[in-house]
């Protein structure tokens, strides 16, 4: 049996968080390269604020290779205020760096 791809999720889907009014959109980097560049630009600034710009590996991420999905959150005025990227599938837990990155940000 070959790979089965679920069609329940559609790239470009969005929802609005009722408490904050932030609209979250999910995309693939190849589907929305304009928003992917915006995500990278904003992420670079956030990483730089904490002195971690080298951890972003921006040059490797620009093509979106290995990123299966990314989310951007926009405030009611349309400004990007949140974002997260999803890599995968991962072959083992050592490929996941989120906990290490978040741990450094919270110190």
């Amino acid at each position: 049996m070959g790979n089965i791809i679920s069609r329940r999720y559609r790239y470009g889907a969005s929802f609005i968080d009722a408490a904050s009014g932030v609209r979250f959109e999910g995309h693939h980097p190849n589907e929305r390269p304009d928003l992917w560049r915006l995500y990278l630009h904003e992420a670079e600034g956030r990483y730089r604020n904490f002195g971690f710009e080298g951890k972003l590996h921006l040059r490797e991420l620009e093509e979106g290779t290995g990123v299966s999905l990314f989310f951007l959150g926009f405030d009611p005025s349309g400004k990007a205020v949140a974002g997260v990227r999803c890599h995968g599938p991962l072959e083992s837990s050592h490929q996941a760096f989120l906990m290490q990155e978040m741990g450094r940000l919270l110190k």
Side-chain angles (χ1 to χ4, degrees):
M1 190 157 142
N3 291 337
I4 298 173
I5 299 173
S6 171
R7 296 291 179 200
R8 288 184 2 183
Y9 178 79
R10 192 179 79 237
Y11 287 122
S14 67
F15 67 93
I16 296 175
D17 175 64
S20 66
V22 173
R23 183 184 79 252
F24 290 92
E25 299 181 3
H27 300 284
H28 188 277
N30 293 336
E31 296 285 326
R32 288 300 305 265
D34 56 329
L35 293 179
W36 179 239
R37 284 188 300 274
L38 175 62
Y39 168 85
L40 292 175
H41 173 76
E42 295 296 326
E44 182 181 30
R46 296 296 298 164
Y47 275 62
R48 186 178 294 116
N49 286 343
F50 292 100
F52 296 127
E53 60 270 19
K55 298 289 184 188
L56 184 58
H57 304 287
L58 189 58
R59 294 215 189 275
E60 296 170 23
L61 287 174
E62 286 176 340
E63 296 297 318
T65 304
V67 176
S68 53
L69 178 65
F70 73 98
F71 290 91
L72 273 174
F74 297 94
D75 70 11
S77 73
K79 181 179 187 274
V81 294
V84 67
R85 67 185 184 274
C86 305
H87 295 264
L90 302 179
E91 295 175 3
S92 68
S93 62
H94 80 275
Q95 293 177 322
F97 299 102
L98 179 64
M99 297 310 291
Q100 293 170 350
E101 291 175 3
M102 294 302 291
R104 290 181 188 126
L105 292 175
L106 296 175
K107 287 184 181 179

